[in-house]
Amino acid sequence: MKQESSKILIDAHTHTSGISLCSRISAKEMIDVCINDNVDGMVLTNHYKSAQIHEPFDKWRKRYVDEYTLTKQYGTARGIKVFFGVEVTLDCMPQNDFTIYGLTEDIILGSSELYKMTFPELCDFVHSNNALIYHAHPFRNTTPVDGTMIDGTEINCHPLYGTCAENRVRAFADKFDLRLSCGSDYHGDTYKAHCGMLIPSDIDTTKDFVEYIRANKRPELIIAPDP
């Protein structure tokens, strides 16, 4: 009989200052914070939005991928797993953010500006690349988007948001049978909330992580209490 692997805690929403200009914490510091917060890994979901870009797009998207590579190197050296994610904000929907899991580094390097798409175009792009799109913090400064077009939504535990709105998020997810994730949305601007999703310890790659959350719509979550 195959022995069930133990579970590890993954923070599904984090930012580093090398790309996310609103973040105050470097890739190396982020790994230190994860260790201090007793999480086993993280998804690096740096901002992908026009307001964050102040250089030619081709140069920026390479730096976007390089920041993940650097963070993963630091994580591997310290025993922290780092998976690749993207948080996209569309020019046409500036109040909404979408965490995307499953777009590879090569897809980011080979695609044009995702933030110029319409919402249906972004969803089609994500799904055509076998990735998953979640509405991040759906009750922070906005209301949920059309749940029939997305794959999941998020219980976001950033302390400055006041509340993770868990009950409202779960009701939204239940209405459309959506997947759930959980993350700290950590930017180094306050303490890091201890939260995330529990996944099997033998998951080591972003591909395996995405396959797991695709097959498990409602993984066990660790949700930080409201501040």
Side-chain angles (χ1 to χ4, degrees):
M1 179 181 294
K2 183 178 179 181
Q3 185 176 4
E4 185 178 355
S5 62
S6 58
K7 294 292 183 70
I8 57 175
L9 181 60
I10 301 296
D11 186 334
H13 190 155
T14 60
H15 297 275
T16 52
S17 58
I19 285 294
S20 296
L21 301 182
C22 50
S23 177
R24 303 176 185 178
I25 189 164
S26 69
K28 185 175 185 298
E29 291 169 328
M30 175 65 80
I31 300 304
D32 293 336
V33 169
C34 286
I35 292 171
N36 292 335
D37 189 40
N38 293 315
V39 299
D40 304 290
M42 53 180 271
V43 186
L44 185 61
T45 52
N46 271 322
H47 288 295
Y48 187 120
K49 59 193 295 186
S50 57
Q52 298 269 339
I53 302 174
H54 303 287
E55 61 186 317
F57 178 73
D58 287 352
K59 182 178 180 180
W60 177 85
R61 67 183 176 184
K62 182 179 185 305
R63 285 204 308 108
Y64 193 99
V65 171
D66 288 346
E67 181 73 1
Y68 164 72
T69 302
L70 177 65
T71 309
K72 183 174 176 59
Q73 288 173 347
Y74 284 129
T76 299
R78 303 290 305 280
I80 297 294
K81 299 188 181 190
V82 181
F83 304 128
F84 185 65
V86 183
E87 184 178 19
V88 174
T89 305
L90 298 171
D91 287 348
C92 62
M93 299 172 65
Q95 298 301 315
N96 294 274
D97 299 308
F98 302 97
T99 46
I100 301 173
Y101 308 109
L103 294 182
T104 66
E105 300 97 299
D106 286 343
I107 290 172
I108 294 299
L109 291 173
S111 61
S112 57
E113 300 97 322
L114 302 184
Y115 47 78
K116 291 184 177 180
M117 293 180 174
T118 64
F119 178 51
E121 287 172 344
L122 178 65
C123 293
D124 287 345
F125 177 83
V126 169
H127 294 143
S128 68
N129 283 288
N130 201 33
L132 300 170
I133 181 169
Y134 288 56
H135 193 186
H137 38 67
F139 295 98
R140 190 209 71 173
N141 302 328
T142 187
T143 55
V145 297
D146 183 353
T148 65
M149 299 179 68
I150 58 177
D151 303 291
T153 188
E154 172 192 73
I155 298 173
N156 190 295
C157 297
H158 195 300
L160 294 183
Y161 300 164
T163 177
C164 67
E166 178 181 357
N167 291 338
R168 297 176 74 190
V169 174
R170 287 190 182 277
F172 172 51
D174 288 344
K175 180 179 179 180
F176 295 99
D177 192 25
L178 297 174
R179 293 168 176 81
L180 279 175
S181 69
C182 181
S184 66
D185 203 357
Y186 187 63
H187 288 71
D189 50 353
T190 183
Y191 66 87
K192 183 184 181 301
H194 181 74
C195 61
M197 59 174 64
L198 292 169
I199 68 171
S201 59
D202 57 0
I203 291 178
D204 291 316
T205 68
T206 300
K207 180 180 178 182
D208 289 343
F209 170 75
V210 174
E211 288 178 355
Y212 181 79
I213 63 173
R214 185 185 300 280
N216 296 270
K217 282 191 170 184
R218 305 288 177 91
E220 184 179 354
L221 305 178
I222 301 297
I223 300 169
D226 286 343

